[in-house]
Amino acid sequence: MAALSKKALLEQRLNLFHSAFLYSTDAILLTDLQGNIIEANQAFSNLFGWTHEEAVGQNTRILRSAKTTNEQYKRMWEGVNSKGRWVGEIINKHKDGHEIPVLLSITPIYRDGAKIGYMGVEIDLTEKKKIEARLLQEKEFSESVIETANCLIVSLNLEGKLTLFNKKCEEVTGYAKHEVIGKNWFDMFLPEEARVEVNDVFSAIVEGRLPSRFENHILTKRGDERLIAWSNTVIRDEARNISGALAIGIDITDQKRLEKQVLQTERLATIGKMAAKVAHEIRNPLSSISLNAEMLEDEISAYDQVNTDEARALLRAIIAEIDRMTALTEEYLQFSRLPESLLVPGNLPRMIEETLEFLRHELRQKRIEMECQLPEVLGEIRFDRVQMRRALLNLIRNAVEAMPKGGKLRLWVEKRNEEAVIHIEDTGIGIPSEVIGKIFEPFFTTKEVGTGLGLAIVEQIIHDHGGQVICHSKVGHGTTFSIILPLDETK
């Protein structure tokens, strides 16, 4: 009875295994040691088009595709024999000849410890491959859009580290992608004074409080600052949790600079007209006062028997103030009559050398050590010799005034891409950060004596040359002015 029960249980298990074999949704085939098919299920027929009767007795070579190489089959059987199993993707062939990608699992079949054949289980990967192909196509399309977009595209993880950095980012910053991926965006690209504010914005983004637009300066590899207008969104993982931020930026540095230059030009024109009117109104009375003061001085000189020293001292003070006011009115008039720059090809280093030679005695008297580095070859630049000399004189004399006890003045010129850059560096008192943004405004000055027009004139001259002037300064360490001029590309 017990033996019968054991036999029934065995038959029940065999029936269960046979049913699993027959009705499995995966294609299953059994072969002998030579690869001849001895059994196949319905899923096999459905997948490859061979009926059970057609398949049994055939060799598995009927499934072989030309896209599966002999080397792949060799590795497959080496895996079966050495590890007792092989699983991998291959290309098989349908009865009608079309190819079918499958995930194939091969295991040996044993009886009484002896290997008698193999079992192969094949899962159709056609739909999976189609999905993968579509995903790959979408990925390549997205990457192409990102790389060819004329805007900066960056993505950061929750730690602020870069995970995406497109080609436009490389162009604007000067960094290659491999130099920055995985680095902290805030430490690498933000000026120190902007880090706290931008960090707060990033925190708001990853918390879901999304600023729709934000502008901030970033640092390039060569130390320049560029102003970027950003649009931001969050990145979510499969669980819909925020995993980072994506930012799309437009470099608006040149746009803002142009807006500022247009505004500055309009302001300068208005101020020039006002200055001219004021200067004209003051100059005539000043001439009369000066003439009368001189006549009065002559009159006082006629008093031989009277002590006139005090009167003479007062007159000298009056005349000195008249001369100072006359000089101011002349400077205002020069400002109002600033001629349009006449740009012609010229040798910029030679003009700089001549200007420094003109100032050499003055610099020596004021204990200024001069260092100059000029390139032998720079390229031709179109500039107005008189106006450019005026701009350089203004900047150099400003540098000298910033070193009342003497110091070092360094001037050097470099070629940078299609630009020439003149740097004028002093070791003076420096300019406070709260003031540096105002130094090019007309009439703004930190000097006890001065019109506040010098740097406004410099900026206007450089603007007329299609360039820009930039100031970097640190209190107690000195100031550097950089004049950036376009090279003459027609030469």
Side-chain angles (χ1 to χ4, degrees):
M1 191 73 178
L4 182 63
S5 189
K6 189 175 181 180
K7 182 180 179 182
L9 183 60
L10 184 58
E11 287 179 352
Q12 185 181 9
R13 286 180 177 175
L14 286 173
N15 288 333
L16 181 62
F17 291 143
H18 189 248
S19 294
F21 170 78
L22 289 177
Y23 301 113
S24 171
T25 56
D26 297 331
I28 303 174
L29 70 160
L30 308 177
T31 74
D32 60 19
L33 293 175
Q34 286 72 45
N36 299 311
I37 300 171
I38 56 177
E39 190 59 86
N41 69 352
Q42 185 59 45
F44 174 87
S45 298
N46 296 340
L47 181 57
F48 295 108
W50 299 91
T51 66
H52 181 270
E53 292 74 16
E54 291 173 327
V56 172
Q58 295 268 26
N59 192 276
T60 53
R61 285 191 294 271
I62 63 171
L63 304 175
R64 184 167 178 175
S65 162
K67 286 192 176 176
T68 304
T69 65
N70 290 331
E71 184 61 31
Q72 287 174 293
Y73 275 109
K74 181 182 177 183
R75 287 198 301 269
M76 180 177 74
W77 288 111
E78 285 175 352
V80 173
N81 293 326
S82 63
K83 298 179 181 178
R85 185 185 181 204
W86 183 85
V87 179
E89 293 184 11
I90 66 169
I91 304 293
N92 273 345
K93 186 173 64 174
H94 190 274
K95 182 182 177 182
D96 65 11
H98 77 265
E99 293 169 337
I100 304 172
V102 296
L103 178 65
L104 173 61
S105 172
I106 302 176
T107 53
I109 302 171
Y110 292 90
R111 185 169 62 192
D112 298 330
K115 188 191 298 183
I116 62 170
Y118 300 96
M119 179 177 73
V121 180
E122 305 198 40
I123 300 173
D124 186 3
L125 298 180
T126 304
E127 288 304 315
K128 177 175 178 286
K129 291 297 181 182
K130 286 180 181 178
I131 293 170
E132 287 178 352
R134 285 199 298 270
L135 289 174
L136 180 61
Q137 186 177 16
E138 290 176 7
K139 179 175 180 288
E140 289 175 347
F141 175 75
S142 298
E143 288 177 349
S144 175
V145 170
I146 288 170
E147 288 304 309
T148 57
N150 193 32
C151 55
L152 293 85
I153 302 178
V154 298
S155 66
L156 311 178
N157 63 17
L158 293 179
E159 296 175 348
K161 293 181 179 178
L162 279 157
T163 56
L164 175 65
F165 192 81
N166 75 339
K167 190 170 183 178
K168 187 65 177 180
C169 289
E170 293 181 319
E171 291 176 9
V172 172
T173 66
Y175 286 101
K177 185 183 299 184
H178 71 270
E179 295 179 281
V180 301
I181 292 296
K183 303 288 180 64
N184 187 284
W185 168 261
F186 305 100
D187 295 341
M188 194 163 189
F189 288 98
L190 294 188
E192 192 170 347
E193 63 273 13
R195 289 176 189 172
V196 173
E197 182 186 6
V198 179
N199 253 311
D200 290 343
V201 172
F202 178 67
S203 298
I205 292 171
V206 298
E207 289 170 8
R209 299 180 286 112
L210 194 67
S212 59
R213 183 177 168 87
F214 183 74
E215 294 179 5
N216 69 272
H217 286 92
I218 64 171
L219 293 171
T220 68
K221 190 172 184 178
R222 65 187 190 186
D224 299 334
E225 290 190 8
R226 306 294 296 180
L227 181 61
I228 312 298
W230 299 102
S231 295
N232 311 298
T233 189
V234 295
I235 301 172
R236 297 182 184 273
D237 59 21
E238 293 177 357
R240 302 299 298 158
N241 296 317
I242 294 174
S243 60
L246 177 72
I248 300 174
I250 299 173
D251 185 354
I252 58 172
T253 309
D254 295 334
Q255 174 191 331
K256 288 290 185 182
R257 185 182 298 135
L258 182 60
E259 290 174 0
K260 180 184 175 185
Q261 287 175 345
V262 170
L263 181 62
Q264 181 80 333
T265 301
E266 291 173 351
R267 289 180 62 195
L268 288 174
T270 303
I271 291 168
K273 290 177 183 177
M274 182 186 72
K277 184 171 179 58
V278 171
H280 279 297
E281 292 295 327
I282 293 175
R283 190 163 62 164
N284 289 335
L286 279 178
S287 297
S288 298
I289 294 170
S290 178
L291 179 61
N292 287 325
E294 289 173 4
M295 290 173 64
L296 184 57
E297 187 176 26
D298 292 340
E299 189 71 25
I300 290 173
S301 299
Y303 292 97
D304 294 332
Q305 306 301 321
V306 180
N307 186 349
T308 59
D309 290 347
E310 186 176 353
R312 288 174 182 277
L314 289 172
L315 269 175
R316 281 196 296 271
I318 291 170
I319 292 170
E321 286 302 306
I322 292 170
D323 291 342
R324 188 177 71 83
M325 291 296 293
T326 301
L328 284 175
T329 57
E330 285 302 319
E331 192 166 348
Y332 287 157
L333 284 171
Q334 286 180 22
F335 174 68
S336 67
R337 297 168 181 167
L338 195 63
E340 184 176 340
S341 295
L342 180 62
L343 308 185
V344 294
N347 189 319
L348 184 66
R350 185 180 301 163
M351 187 275 290
I352 294 172
E353 200 170 25
E354 290 170 359
T355 303
L356 292 177
E357 186 61 35
F358 171 75
L359 290 168
R360 195 171 300 281
H361 179 68
E362 180 182 335
L363 296 175
R364 191 181 300 115
Q365 277 190 326
K366 295 184 177 180
R367 302 189 305 281
I368 303 297
E369 179 188 346
M370 181 71 210
E371 181 183 321
C372 180
Q373 295 174 330
L374 300 175
E376 293 182 7
V377 178
L378 180 64
E380 205 161 57
I381 299 177
R382 299 176 66 85
F383 65 96
D384 185 312
R385 186 181 183 83
V386 174
Q387 297 287 49
M388 188 59 67
R389 186 173 186 272
R390 182 177 183 181
L392 285 172
L393 285 171
N394 268 341
L395 291 177
I396 293 171
R397 282 179 170 147
N398 273 359
V400 171
E401 289 173 8
M403 300 182 286
K405 296 181 179 179
K408 184 173 182 179
L409 181 66
R410 181 169 172 246
L411 188 151
W412 74 99
V413 179
E414 63 173 326
K415 182 180 179 181
R416 204 160 61 187
N417 298 324
E418 298 302 320
E419 297 170 333
V421 186
I422 308 168
H423 302 282
I424 300 170
E425 178 186 80
D426 65 59
T427 57
I429 56 177
I431 304 170
S433 57
E434 63 271 15
V435 168
I436 203 165
K438 303 176 183 178
I439 60 174
F440 293 107
E441 294 179 6
F443 303 112
F444 178 84
T445 182
T446 57
K447 303 174 188 176
E448 292 182 5
V449 178
T451 62
L453 291 175
L455 289 178
I457 290 172
V458 169
E459 187 178 51
Q460 184 62 40
I461 290 172
I462 302 306
H463 171 234
D464 289 346
H465 283 71
Q468 59 175 311
V469 57
I470 298 171
C471 176
H472 294 284
S473 187
K474 190 173 182 180
V475 173
H477 289 78
T479 302
T480 303
F481 281 91
S482 298
I483 297 174
I484 303 172
L485 299 170
L487 289 170
D488 186 359
E489 298 178 358
T490 62
K491 296 294 179 182

